[in-house]
Amino acid sequence: MIDRRREYAAAGVPFFLRVDLRNRVPVLALHELVEGEYQALSAAAAGTTFVMRQPFVFTVDPADLLDEEAPVEEPDSGG
């Protein structure tokens, strides 16, 4: 099994954003590399707001990442 976090840390990648979609419940978790280890900065699951300020400002409800379309309403035939 590949340990991406360890590989990214060894390469000096300053931020690591994990997107987890287990059981169709999206969770976002942002980590920052501090002294060779990743430390959690922000995390949120669907129905809450994920907010990050580094390495850029970004805000989203993880539920918005699901590819689910709203039901299409049929046009009123007027009759």
Side-chain angles (χ1 to χ4, degrees):
M1 178 177 212
I2 297 172
D3 185 348
R4 301 253 187 243
R5 288 174 61 137
R6 184 169 290 154
E7 288 184 9
Y8 296 159
V13 176
F15 294 94
F16 177 74
L17 178 63
R18 181 179 176 124
V19 179
D20 191 351
L21 294 171
R22 289 185 194 162
N23 300 319
R24 300 214 27 95
V25 177
V27 176
L28 298 178
L30 177 66
H31 297 82
E32 181 179 18
L33 187 62
V34 177
E35 297 179 9
E37 299 282 329
Y38 284 108
Q39 296 182 1
L41 287 180
S42 180
T48 62
T49 302
F50 173 79
V51 178
M52 65 184 231
R53 306 260 180 256
Q54 297 177 46
F56 52 88
V57 177
F58 178 70
T59 303
V60 67
D61 177 342
D64 292 341
L65 301 176
L66 294 176
D67 188 24
E68 296 178 352
E69 295 182 21
V72 177
E73 293 184 24
E74 295 293 323
D76 185 10
S77 63

